[in-house]
Amino acid sequence: MAAQTLTAGTRRRVLFGLLDAESWSWASLKAFFWFIVIIFMLGYIPDRAYYFTVFPTIDLGLLAWSPVNLCPASNETLPCPAPEGAVLPWQPSPSQVALPQPRTDGAAVVAGTKLIYIGGSQTAGGAATTTTYVANLYPDGNFSSWTEGPALPSAVKNESAAFLGGSVYVFGGTDASGQPTKTAYVLTIDPATGQLGQWQSAADAKLPIDLPAPRTAAAIAVASDGLVIVGGDGGSGPVADVWKSTIDKGGKLTAWAPQASLFRPQSHAIASIIGSYIWVYAGQDANGPVGAVQRGDIAPASDPHPGSIVRWGIKNGPPNLPVARTGATGFMANDALYLVGGSDGKTPRGEVFWATPNIAGEIAGWEHVPASDFPAMGLAGSSAVVDGSQAFLIGGTTSGGVTGSSARGNLAPQPPFFQLGLVGATVPALKLSGEIGQQLGYLNAAGAGTIDFVILILIGYAFAHRDQTRAFFARFRRRG
């Protein structure tokens, strides 16, 4: 027995002698390796083939952290890669598309393919106007020169305006005598022709939407089921009132219903709704410009009063703006809150801040990139609108006075066209747009998958017929 043990052959070792060639460990490792190879060849490569056709860039491998980044020139002076939510440097519009007259403290809305600027004043602190200007929006992110549209029944500035259900609504504001008003006006767009009608008072439109009390410089937010008016000035200072008008089954706005009051009175603020929360930021209170951000909770569908605003609060720290601003303009895009310009109480400022609340309604902090700031003259009293990936700032007051010009900022900076990471890279791709690009992408994916499938069959055949495979390669080498 001892002699037999000493003369028995040793078993073959693999992987630098770490594993037995006949062990389950080595078999499992080989099975996992081929599983990854099959997924890579039949899943990853066809996927990359499709996106190589339709995307401007594709990632190869796991990019992880990238020390080498090259961005397109269209990103101008933004960092590379651009921070998420950054705005491309603002581009002033040519003089041909400036408002016919300077305007500040008016309201701009996007109504289908129309861009409408309503009311405002011609000088800082000046009298309100009845003028409405209209421009056509183009798919390429530009708009036409302005023409004069239907005049408001009465002059107004610092009003709250919104587009909802095919109509433009204007609420409150400061009238020609300098006093807050509670009047509401409606402008309906013909759905067949896209032509504007005439402004009607709420009474003439048979809508119970005059405000419960006079308000100017109130924030307005569009909800899924109506409109919300937040804060404002009642004539003796900022107020905390919040009202909501919901849409009935006939698609018409109903009378305003009181909601939970703001945590603190605030006017000249910006209001936006994201998910189950409404955000109110910037503006002023009795002491001047504020930086505090107020968040309101919206009742869920299971609540007896779904969609109502049930409470407001302010948190210390990062959720609040890093600076106090009033008279700023702002908007919501891609689930992010934006603030542009405003006044620090002394002069117009040009900083742009943005924040992206998470699903729990928490803000980790406000982002700021100097390249996204408005030019050095600053801007307050402007009105911002968003059309696709473009944001427009219309009118306002700069350090040089009231302006009728506008500026455009692109909200979609391009990603780097080349990145080199530790375990991967991003490389340029074809970016064939439209349905043709998609069909070619599908063909490329199918072709890559078919080729890889044939290669796997050949590999399987070679492993199953090792002697014949060795003989074939031996003959090939001899012929070579």
Side-chain angles (χ1 to χ4, degrees):
M1 181 66 69
Q4 292 178 356
T5 301
L6 291 173
T7 58
T10 58
R11 303 184 69 172
R12 186 167 64 92
R13 308 288 294 181
V14 293
L15 201 64
F16 307 105
L18 297 176
L19 298 176
D20 188 336
E22 306 299 327
S23 67
W24 280 106
S25 299
W26 177 239
S28 300
L29 192 61
K30 289 192 295 183
F32 178 76
F33 170 80
W34 285 110
F35 173 77
I36 296 298
V37 169
I38 292 171
I39 293 296
F40 179 81
M41 297 184 70
L42 298 185
Y44 182 80
I45 291 180
D47 175 82
R48 297 295 89 184
Y50 172 80
Y51 287 112
F52 179 79
T53 307
V54 300
F55 274 31
T57 61
I58 60 168
D59 295 334
L60 303 178
L62 300 174
L63 183 61
W65 175 72
S66 175
V68 179
N69 300 281
L70 299 177
C71 285
S74 60
N75 282 11
E76 300 185 43
T77 56
L78 283 179
C80 183
E84 184 177 355
V87 182
L88 283 170
W90 296 93
Q91 300 294 327
S93 297
S95 58
Q96 292 88 337
V97 294
L99 292 170
Q101 292 183 327
R103 284 291 185 270
T104 188
D105 297 327
V109 295
V110 171
T113 59
K114 304 288 187 183
L115 180 57
I116 306 175
Y117 187 88
I118 307 159
S121 61
Q122 191 170 349
T123 60
T129 65
T130 60
T131 311
T132 297
Y133 295 120
V134 182
N136 295 314
L137 285 166
Y138 299 134
D140 62 357
N142 292 307
F143 57 86
S144 68
S145 58
W146 297 89
T147 59
E148 193 161 330
L152 289 164
S154 61
V156 71
K157 67 176 183 178
N158 284 320
E159 72 275 23
S160 305
F163 177 71
L164 181 69
S167 296
V168 180
Y169 296 90
V170 169
F171 304 100
T174 301
D175 63 17
S177 66
Q179 297 301 312
T181 177
K182 62 179 182 179
T183 307
Y185 298 114
V186 185
L187 176 67
T188 301
I189 300 175
D190 189 317
T193 64
Q195 296 300 309
L196 301 180
Q198 296 295 320
W199 289 101
Q200 291 181 298
S201 67
D204 291 338
K206 296 180 172 58
L207 293 173
I209 56 173
D210 279 339
L211 298 178
R215 287 291 179 270
T216 186
I220 188 168
V222 179
S224 60
D225 58 348
L227 298 173
V228 181
I229 295 283
V230 182
D233 193 314
S236 56
V239 297
D241 296 327
V242 179
W243 303 315
K244 183 174 183 180
S245 174
T246 56
I247 303 173
D248 63 18
K249 293 181 180 179
K252 295 184 177 181
L253 288 173
T254 59
W256 297 95
Q259 309 291 298
S261 296
L262 287 171
F263 190 80
R264 295 175 186 167
Q266 200 162 332
S267 65
H268 294 276
I270 304 160
S272 297
I273 293 175
I274 301 178
S276 300
Y277 304 97
I278 178 170
W279 304 87
V280 175
Y281 53 103
Q284 64 187 53
D285 59 17
N287 298 316
V290 299
V293 175
Q294 302 196 48
R295 189 191 76 181
D297 296 346
I298 300 175
S302 57
D303 190 88
H305 303 285
S308 61
I309 302 171
V310 295
R311 70 183 66 85
W312 291 88
I314 297 176
K315 287 190 173 182
N316 294 324
N320 296 314
L321 291 166
V323 293
R325 290 287 184 270
T326 185
T329 186
F331 51 89
M332 187 272 290
N334 304 317
D335 290 335
L337 306 171
Y338 288 84
L339 179 143
V340 182
S343 170
D344 57 7
K346 297 179 181 178
T347 58
R349 305 288 300 186
E351 292 90 350
V352 175
F353 300 96
W354 73 94
T356 304
N358 62 23
I359 194 171
E362 301 294 337
I363 291 178
W366 290 80
E367 303 290 337
H368 172 244
V369 175
S372 294
D373 289 344
F374 197 76
M377 295 183 75
L379 188 67
S382 181
S383 186
V385 294
V386 176
D387 182 47
S389 63
Q390 306 290 336
F392 298 99
L393 307 177
I394 303 170
T397 302
T398 69
S399 57
V402 177
T403 179
S405 63
S406 60
R408 180 180 64 177
N410 192 309
L411 304 176
Q414 296 298 308
F417 61 83
F418 178 79
Q419 291 180 282
L420 182 61
L422 300 180
V423 287
T426 297
V427 299
L430 297 178
K431 194 186 179 183
L432 301 180
S433 303
E435 186 175 350
I436 293 178
Q438 289 187 353
Q439 296 300 325
L440 290 175
Y442 293 142
L443 289 174
N444 285 344
T450 301
I451 293 172
D452 288 347
F453 183 72
V454 171
I455 292 174
L456 288 173
I457 290 177
L458 294 176
I459 291 173
Y461 180 87
F463 271 92
H465 302 81
R466 297 188 179 186
D467 292 340
Q468 294 93 322
T469 302
R470 292 193 185 98
F472 170 79
F473 281 107
R475 290 194 300 272
F476 184 80
R477 285 195 298 269
R478 286 197 295 271
R479 291 176 182 174

